[in-house]
Structures are given as C-alpha cells and as structure tokens.
Amino acid sequence: MLHIVNKSPLERSALDSCLAAAQPGAAVLLIEDGVYAATRGHAGEGKLRAASAHLQIYVLAPDLEARGMAQSLADGVKPIDYAGFVELVAQHRNCQSWL
Amino acid sequence: MAIVVDGKTYETDEEGYLVNLAEWNEDIAKLIAGEEKIDMTPNHWEVVNFLREYYNEFQIAPAVRVLTKSIGKKLGPEKGNSQYLYELFPYGPAKQACKIAGLPKPTGCI
Amino acid sequence: MSEGTAKKIMYVNRKAPYGTIYALESLEVVLIAAAFDQEVSLVFMDDGVYQLKKGHQTKGIEMKNFQPTYRALDDYDVNKLYVEKEALQARGLSQEDMCVPVEVKSAAEIGKLMEEQDVLLSF
C-alpha cells in the first residue's frame, strides 16, 4: 500500500505515526511540507534512513525544488514528478494520507 | 422563514425546519403537521416523541433505516416497519416526522 | 448491495475534536455512508483518541457536543472501533477513558488492518 505524508517532520508527528504503522514493503511518498523529511542534515534524518531499509521512500521533486531543497536530497529517497505520483497511486491497492 | 404560533414567531430554515429545537412545543408541532397535511393521532405523536428522545440521547436525527429498526426494538415489529411509518408520514418518516418534532433534517437525507 | 460487493472501508481519525472540523466531518461522513452497507471500521490514532475521551462538555465554547453520537454508531451497524495503544499511553489515557466500547491495537496492528482495506478515508 501507499502512505502519503504532507507535514514537516519537525512540526508534526504525522511521519512518525506513518512509520510506526507502515508494514514492510509499503511505499511512503513525501509531498508538500513532508519533503523536508527527505533532506540531509535535519534532526530526524536517521529515522527516515532506518525506515528506508524496509520501506520504499519517494519524494515529490517539484515540492522539494520549490523549497530550495533539491540539492539536499537524502540517500535512499527516490525523487518523482507528478506523472510518477499518478503511477505510484495506480500501482498500489490502497492509500492512506497522514494529514 | 418563520412560523407564528399564538402571536409568537419561531425561526425556521428555508425548508421549514425549526432552527432552535429548544423552542419546540406541541402547538408548533401541530402547526407544522398541518402544513404537511398530517392529522396528528396518538400513533403520530408516538413517533415524534420517539424521535425527540433519540435526538436527546444521541444528538442526531436517525436515518430512516435506523429509525425503523429502533422503533421496532422499542414499540414492537408491527410498528418497526417502513410500511407503518410511511402510512403515518407519506412523504418520508425521517423527513416529515423530524420536521414536526422540531429536529434538523436527518444527516444524509437529501 | 449484495454480500460479494461489500467493500472494506476504514476511517482514520487522527485529530483532536473541536480545534478543527475533522472529527465532526468524519463522523457525519460515517453516518451518511452507513446507508451503503459496506464493511466499515473506524480507527482512532494520535490526537484522534481525544475524540472518544469521556465527558465532553461544550456549553462553554458554544459548539455542538457530538460525543453522544458515537454511541449511535452501533445502531448504524458500525461496531468496529479501533484505538491506537501507543496514542493512549502517550496521552495518559486507557480504554476505560473511552466513551464507547473499543478494541485497543498497536500502531503496527492497525497498519496491518490498513493493508486489508479497499478504501481508506483520512481525517
């Protein structure tokens, strides 16, 4: 299944909640303010790296670029565009948005 | 919109539902029933009072399926069926009876 | 709707009541959609567990207290209510603080249930 997170990990616990529930093999897509989680050097970086061992982590590149963070993309996170977003939704059986 | 009973004015919404359910009384109920072309019998009052009790307890006007089932539980199967309730309130028991009971339109009722 | 076509629908509630409209909106959608005879479950995670914390008194804030409506869910054949164990613990709450009967499950167990759903509605 696909999990979508759109909140900054430093302001909200949405990503933590998502990672606690997500089952191995699931996909996590970071969009909007959620993209900050996919960058290098922030306090929660280690958590995402650990999660990427059993989850596929994606980030919506246009949201990353808009925030001037395109150069700070963390390892193990796959950037995708809007077409990739649509594809990801279509590939998965269901989807949970961690608002 | 508004209705007037004994010289007092009560606000209603554009479909005739009472805005403030605390203002409800039996005279208002009779007036709304008259507009709906319903002659209130003890059987009508039983349903109207049931609805008001349901609303007091759960803060919602029940959907017609739930109303039917709950009435059946409380008043018996001969009353807890849609034929009986539609005979009393031909334009829809949830909709008409709620209006007479001074409740908002049931959630999900169009 | 026939048995074979019933979909598994899960409502995921993660927001505290009154501060935002999410909790009330979710409850209204549940009641409306209950007419369609699907396999419905409600999950309360994170601050969503506060929606079920017993004893809401909303007179002072002049908002409708919709807590009693959770007790009507059973009439609507909605009786699978799951509450996240970690969320209760983090908030100093327990199952006894909930206003309706619920099943307490860990975040991981809830995650497993999510995988089984046809549709998830997030609030």
Side-chain angles (χ1 to χ4, degrees), chain A residues 11 16 18 23-24 27 42-43 50 61 69 72 75-76 78 82 92 97:
Chain A
E11 195 206 353
D16 287 337
C18 166
Q23 299 294 297
H42 69 85
M69 303 302 273
S72 324
D75 293 337
K78 194 179 173 208
Y82 286 110
H92 290 88
S97 289

Side-chain angles (χ1 to χ4, degrees), chain A residues 68-89:
Chain A
M69 303 302 273
Q71 304 309 314
S72 324
L73 181 62
D75 293 337
V77 181
K78 194 179 173 208
I80 58 169
D81 57 11
Y82 286 110
F85 187 167
V86 173
E87 219 172 284
L88 209 53
V89 172

Side-chain angles (χ1 to χ4, degrees), chain C residues 1-119:
Chain C
M1 200 165 278
S2 73
E3 195 71 13
T5 56
K7 284 195 186 301
K8 285 189 156 190
I9 300 178
M10 176 180 274
Y11 294 84
V12 183
N13 303 287
R14 298 182 45 249
K15 309 281 183 197
Y18 310 117
T20 60
I21 196 75
Y22 286 99
L24 177 57
E25 288 285 306
S26 172
L27 189 55
E28 292 203 332
V29 175
V30 170
L31 294 174
I32 293 166
F36 296 101
D37 251 347
Q38 307 288 310
E39 229 178 280
V40 174
S41 60
L42 269 60
V43 160
F44 298 86
M45 306 181 80
D46 300 310
D47 278 355
V49 302
Y50 286 135
Q51 294 177 23
L52 301 183
K53 165 67 182 66
K54 265 182 207 165
H56 292 179
Q57 298 282 351
T58 59
K59 253 203 184 83
I61 57 170
E62 292 183 23
M63 288 172 84
K64 184 187 165 110
N65 178 2
F66 51 86
Q67 188 159 62
T69 308
Y70 291 105
R71 285 191 278 109
L73 287 174
D74 195 46
D75 288 344
Y76 284 74
D77 297 320
V78 174
N79 35 42
K80 288 195 192 109
L81 275 64
Y82 305 115
V83 171
E84 185 201 350
K85 190 167 84 187
E86 292 89 336
L88 285 179
Q89 277 167 357
R91 286 159 186 79
L93 299 173
S94 69
Q95 194 163 3
E96 288 73 57
D97 294 305
M98 302 290 99
C99 64
V100 282
V102 296
E103 210 176 309
V104 177
K105 286 189 178 292
S106 72
E109 286 173 314
I110 291 172
K112 261 191 210 114
L113 286 175
M114 284 180 173
E115 296 267 353
E116 298 167 8
Q117 304 302 314
D118 293 300
V119 180

Side-chain angles (χ1 to χ4, degrees), chain A residues 1-4 22-23 25-29 55-58 88 92:
Chain A
M1 82 176 273
L2 174 65
H3 296 271
I4 299 178
Q23 299 294 297
V28 175
L29 170 62
L55 299 168
Q56 302 161 264
I57 316 279
Y58 299 88
L88 209 53
H92 290 88

Side-chain angles (χ1 to χ4, degrees), chain A residues 49-71:
Chain A
R49 196 178 311 119
S52 69
H54 61 276
L55 299 168
Q56 302 161 264
I57 316 279
Y58 299 88
V59 64
L60 191 62
D63 279 331
L64 202 60
E65 287 156 14
R67 289 162 177 77
M69 303 302 273
Q71 304 309 314

